[in-house]
Amino acid sequence: IFLCGVALFSILGVLLSVSRGGMIGIAAGALFIACISPFRKKLWLALIVLAVILFALPITRTTVMNIATRHDVSSDVRIVLWQGTWRLLEHRPILGAGLGGFPYYYNIYRLPQHTELLLYPHNIVFNFWVEIGLAGILVLFLFLINPFRTGARFLRQERTSFARSC
């Protein structure tokens, strides 16, 4: 009951914060669980029904379509920010800008249509690369791969206990 409450309030918090990355993470997690759970058919049915309901609501459909087609201001700002960050990394690929150096170097490489000066690139891969260089990307991928390896090992060893917990 506690874990269900934590999951429910976490999802509610992400939805109320309108965090796109959080929502993508929730969707990816739901799809992952639907793929590995012993209750696959029921979970896939629930996800499909939820998707139909969300796309049936005009406000949700419009919001998703604006984001998917990049017709919203936030997507436009991020794409221009990422293009400027890429320009920075083309000139400083090995070491990046250094810790805390992104605002200084980004101001040199930013595109003219981007008027905001942000403190970081709003992209986890770019952030590690700009701050720590190529070593930062390596460490990031090691941090990201390890939980998946541990989870796969757990599923192989403890398949029966996992099925009981679902």
Side-chain angles (χ1 to χ4, degrees):
I1 293 174
F2 174 74
L3 291 177
C4 288
V6 169
L8 178 67
F9 283 110
S10 298
I11 291 169
L12 185 62
V14 168
L15 293 176
L16 291 175
S17 73
V18 194
S19 167
R20 292 179 187 170
M23 289 180 203
I24 291 170
I26 289 172
L31 292 173
F32 178 74
I33 290 171
C35 287
I36 66 168
S37 173
F39 307 107
R40 278 183 208 99
K41 291 179 183 176
K42 291 178 183 177
L43 287 174
W44 278 109
L45 179 63
L47 290 174
I48 290 169
V49 168
L50 180 63
V52 168
I53 291 170
L54 288 175
F55 279 103
L57 299 171
I59 189 160
T60 311
R61 182 179 53 246
T62 304
T63 302
V64 170
M65 291 309 293
N66 283 341
I67 292 169
T69 58
R70 300 188 313 214
H71 284 99
D72 65 320
V73 175
S74 181
S75 294
D76 184 54
V77 167
R78 286 175 192 264
I79 289 169
V80 172
L81 174 64
W82 295 335
Q83 288 170 343
T85 303
W86 184 252
R87 288 176 51 181
L88 184 158
L89 289 169
E90 285 179 330
H91 290 97
R92 305 181 60 82
I94 306 294
L95 298 176
L99 294 174
F102 176 76
Y104 171 76
Y105 284 104
Y106 179 72
N107 196 35
I108 297 168
Y109 295 104
R110 71 181 169 86
L111 299 177
Q113 67 263 41
H114 193 214
T115 57
E116 295 180 64
L117 184 58
L118 301 171
L119 298 177
Y120 62 97
H122 289 73
N123 176 306
I124 192 165
V125 174
F126 278 167
N127 193 52
F128 272 80
W129 193 353
V130 165
E131 294 282 328
I132 311 173
L134 287 178
I137 293 176
L138 178 65
V139 169
L140 172 67
F141 285 119
L142 290 174
F143 281 148
L144 292 176
I145 288 170
N146 194 38
F148 286 102
R149 289 178 50 212
T150 303
R153 194 174 325 123
F154 172 77
L155 285 175
R156 280 192 302 272
Q157 294 172 353
E158 303 287 337
R159 190 165 291 289
T160 57
S161 65
F162 176 75
R164 280 192 300 244
S165 69
C166 289

